[in-house]
Amino acid sequence: MIQIYFYKKNFDAQKAERWFKERRIPVQMVDLARVKLGQRELQSVCARVGLDALIDKEGSAWKECPARYAAGEEAVLRALAEDPRRMRLPIVRGGRLATIGFKPDQWEAWE
C-alpha cells in the first residue's frame, strides 16, 4: 500500500493521491498535523532520499530551528520529527521505496 505523508492542505499531496487513485492503487493518507512521523520511519525515508532532500531549507520553520546548526544527523532528524513544517512534503512511500514531492515518473517504476 502507498502512504502519502502531508501537512495540512498540500497541493502536491492532493495531486499524488489523485494519480494513484486514477490507477486504482490503494493509498493511505497520513496527516502529519495529527500523527507524528516515527523516528524509524523518518530514518528509513532519509536513507532512501537523503537528509538534504528531506529538509525544507527555504521554509521559515527550518530557518528558525536550532538543529540546523547541529552536526549530527540524529539531532536534525529529531527536529524534523518534532515539526513537520521543517520537511519538504509530501513524502510518498511504497514499501521500502520513497520520494519527496510529486514524482509520477518514479512511481511508475514501482508498479
Side-chain angles (χ1 to χ4, degrees):
M1 175 180 284
I2 302 295
Q3 295 175 317
I4 301 175
Y5 296 92
F6 67 100
Y7 185 74
K8 303 246 178 175
K9 292 191 179 198
N10 183 303
F11 184 66
D12 282 343
Q14 292 171 354
K15 287 188 339 186
E17 180 183 22
R18 187 175 335 116
W19 190 89
F20 285 108
K21 286 195 175 186
E22 286 172 355
R23 285 151 185 81
R24 293 190 172 102
I25 299 171
V27 175
Q28 177 185 14
M29 299 296 290
V30 181
D31 186 355
L32 294 174
R34 295 181 190 174
V35 179
K36 296 276 185 187
L37 190 60
Q39 197 69 21
R40 196 176 253 172
E41 283 181 284
L42 194 55
Q43 288 172 342
S44 173
V45 170
C46 182
R48 303 291 179 256
V49 300
L51 186 59
D52 283 343
L54 196 55
I55 300 170
D56 182 11
K57 293 182 180 177
E58 301 299 317
S60 62
W62 179 251
K63 289 179 181 178
E64 297 168 358
C65 179
R68 69 186 258 209
Y69 302 108
E73 184 176 296
E74 285 298 316
V76 173
L77 288 175
R78 217 173 11 261
L80 293 176
E82 288 172 8
D83 189 352
R85 297 175 302 139
R86 297 172 179 157
M87 290 186 273
R88 288 183 51 223
L89 297 172
I91 298 170
V92 181
R93 287 190 57 194
R96 301 180 133 222
L97 302 171
T99 61
I100 305 283
F102 184 71
K103 306 275 171 71
D105 299 341
Q106 292 179 17
W107 301 332
E108 284 186 12
W110 293 3
E111 295 176 10

